[in-house]
């Protein structure tokens, strides 16, 4: 199959919608990372997503909506907190897990009785959902186990020849995946940290939420996706807490806080120095692999250590 990358003109979006209505799957941009879309009611297209990504079939998908009224088509017994959070954060990088409507095929949620719903903050994503007139399930558009894609070229790198179309909306502004919040347990639980923090959520709901739900000592529900070795570049990722501990090896990329990039370039002229930001993290991992680098060294200073969502991705990438 030929994979086209198209600028998101009205005509290209119309083509995307046509493909989706024809049981195909399509790559598209969101504000977080690129997604791989299928209609939420299309079992055969959803099966294609799992096959093409090589995704374990116990890992549920997120449903993307363009209008709040669509939430009722895929979720039921939706609690009032869903609407409080939606009012504040939709469209935006927050996924809310609620009970699933019975007519949503169980492959969409990997057999779970719940479904994650989010409204992406990206004009192309919203236009594609509106053009198909159905919510779209979409995981990140990478091969399972690879870093999530933040450009159309990353999607092409992983899925070339396997999908018909990628809509190119330029680089994603957030760069890491949405916060996933489970509203079906008490207290509510963050299943995956993201750009919208637990503190921001708590300040809207005026109640404490659980931020340790993936900790093995807790028995509350988990995001199945969090147990897989995600975000792993082929290069070895190691973490450093002090500049003096960094002794670069051959073919090394160093990620540091953006204000330190220039100083590091002078200090380590043989290394590739890249800014350590959420929007640049996965792109840097992919760049290191494309250049056949062997090592990625990350200086995690205090500001970075306080960024739970960034540390989550960095720790996963550095796990052996
Ligand atoms: O930012 C994002 O969320 C991106 C863009 C494309 O929207 N999507 C994304 O999807 O990251 P994916 O499939 O790569 O990650 C979805 C995560 C997984 O960890 C999955 O286990 C969890 O959300 N998840 C989805 N539905 C769930 C449910 N019903 N219950 C618990 N966890 C769920
Ligand atoms: Mg993913």
């Amino acid at each position: 199959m030929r994979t086209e990358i198209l600028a998101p003109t009205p005509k290209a979006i119309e083509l995307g919608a046509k493909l989706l209505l024809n049981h195909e799957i399509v790559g598209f941009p969101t504000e977080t990372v690129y997604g791989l879309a299928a209609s939420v009611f299309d079992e055969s297209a959803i099966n294609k997503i799992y096959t093409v990504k090589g995704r374990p079939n116990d890992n549920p998908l997120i449903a993307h909506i363009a209008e709040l009224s669509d939430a009722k088509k895929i979720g039921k017994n939706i609690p009032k907190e869903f609407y409080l959070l939606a009012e504040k954060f939709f469209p935006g990088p927050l996924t809310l897990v609620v009970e699933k409507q019975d007519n949503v095929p169980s492959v969409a949620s990997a057999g779970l009785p719940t479904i994650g719903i989010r409204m992406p903050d990206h004009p192309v994503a919203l236009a594609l959902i509106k053009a198909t007139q159905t919510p779209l399930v979409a995981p990140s558009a990478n091969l399972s186990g690879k870093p999530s894609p933040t450009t159309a070229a990353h999607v092409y790198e992983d899925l070339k020849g396997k999908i018909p179309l990628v809509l190119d909306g330029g680089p994603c502004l957030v760069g890491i995946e949405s916060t996933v919040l489970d509203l079906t347990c008490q207290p509510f639980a963050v299943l995956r940290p993201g750009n919208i923090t637990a503190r921001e959520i708590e300040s809207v709901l005026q109640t404490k939420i659980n931020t340790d739900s993936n900790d093995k000592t807790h028995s509350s529900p988990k995001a199945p996706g969090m147990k897989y070795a995600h975000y792993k570049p082929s290069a070895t990722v190691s973490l450093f807490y002090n500049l003096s501990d960094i002794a670069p090896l051959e073919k090394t990329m160093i990620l540091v806080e953006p204000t330190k990039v220039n100083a590091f370039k002078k200090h380590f002229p043989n290394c590739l120095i890249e800014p350590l930001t959420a929007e640049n993290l996965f792109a840097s991992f992919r760049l290191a692999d494309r250049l056949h680098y062997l090592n990625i060294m990350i200086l995690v200073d205090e500001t970075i250590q306080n960024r739970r969502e960034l540390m989550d991705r960095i720790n996963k990438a550095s796990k052996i």
Side-chain angles (χ1 to χ4, degrees):
M1 174 185 299
R2 209 172 90 86
T3 302
E4 275 197 287
I5 303 185
L6 294 179
T9 58
K11 216 172 138 203
I13 287 168
E14 208 177 291
L15 171 66
K18 210 168 124 198
L19 287 164
L20 288 165
L21 295 171
N22 253 326
H23 314 291
E24 273 305 338
I25 57 179
V26 169
F28 72 107
T30 81
E31 81 281 29
T32 56
V33 300
Y34 274 71
L36 182 59
S39 158
V40 73
F41 300 112
D42 187 343
E43 219 173 311
S44 89
I46 296 172
N47 280 323
K48 273 189 202 168
I49 288 182
Y50 282 91
T51 308
V52 156
K53 275 181 62 82
R55 182 178 176 100
N57 61 11
D58 64 349
N59 195 359
L61 305 176
I62 292 170
H64 297 68
I65 58 173
E67 272 151 46
L68 205 48
S69 56
D70 283 345
K72 287 199 289 288
K73 294 184 189 161
I74 44 184
K76 65 178 182 189
N77 301 326
I78 298 178
K80 66 175 188 310
E81 288 86 353
F82 178 97
Y83 294 100
L84 287 173
L85 292 167
E87 193 182 325
K88 174 83 181 168
F89 299 115
F90 281 10
L94 177 66
T95 297
L96 299 171
V97 175
V98 299
E99 285 179 42
K100 182 179 81 66
Q101 275 292 2
D102 305 326
N103 59 342
V104 173
S106 77
V107 279
S109 63
L112 290 178
T114 57
I115 184 120
I117 300 177
R118 92 173 189 96
M119 188 187 288
D121 188 12
H122 197 294
V124 177
L126 295 171
L128 185 66
I129 301 165
K130 284 184 186 155
T132 48
Q133 297 186 316
T134 171
L136 300 176
V137 275
S140 49
N142 52 298
L143 288 175
S144 229
K146 292 264 189 164
S148 293
T150 55
T151 65
H154 295 162
V155 180
Y156 191 74
E157 206 167 82
D158 279 15
L159 303 180
K160 177 184 164 190
K162 297 180 172 178
I163 61 173
L165 174 66
V166 185
L167 294 170
D168 186 352
C172 300
L173 293 180
V174 174
I176 58 172
E177 309 85 344
S178 61
T179 306
V180 179
L181 180 72
D182 191 349
L183 296 179
T184 69
C185 56
Q186 281 297 338
F188 301 145
V190 173
L191 304 181
R192 178 175 70 183
N195 206 39
I196 291 175
T197 63
R199 194 161 297 167
E200 288 177 279
I201 294 167
E202 285 175 343
S203 88
V204 171
L205 298 182
Q206 290 296 307
T207 172
K208 272 262 164 227
I209 57 173
N210 181 3
T211 53
D212 288 324
S213 64
N214 282 294
D215 187 323
K216 293 200 173 47
T217 56
H218 287 76
S219 56
S220 42
K222 297 172 180 63
M226 297 299 277
K227 72 180 184 230
Y228 297 106
H230 268 117
Y231 324 119
K232 256 181 111 53
S234 307
T236 304
V237 177
S238 32
L239 272 55
F240 294 86
Y241 297 90
N242 294 302
L243 169 62
S244 54
D245 295 337
I246 298 185
L249 307 159
E250 204 196 336
K251 293 205 160 191
T252 296
M253 170 186 275
I254 304 180
L255 297 179
V256 284
E257 206 256 306
T259 57
K260 295 186 178 146
V261 166
N262 284 336
F264 268 62
K265 281 186 176 163
K266 285 198 192 108
H267 205 80
F268 300 112
N270 296 325
C271 297
L272 181 59
I273 315 296
E274 287 286 317
L276 175 54
T277 60
E279 63 270 30
N280 199 41
L281 184 73
F282 293 146
S284 300
F285 288 169
R286 283 181 178 264
L287 175 64
D289 280 353
R290 239 183 357 263
L291 298 173
H292 303 291
Y293 272 47
L294 303 175
N295 303 292
I296 301 172
M297 297 182 163
I298 306 184
L299 183 63
V300 281
D301 60 17
E302 225 167 278
T303 39
I304 303 292
Q305 283 169 47
N306 291 329
R307 300 270 306 274
R308 204 182 169 105
E309 75 292 0
L310 253 186
M311 286 312 294
D312 171 73
R313 275 57 172 196
I314 291 172
N315 282 326
K316 284 207 177 98
S318 67
K319 270 204 192 108
I320 301 166

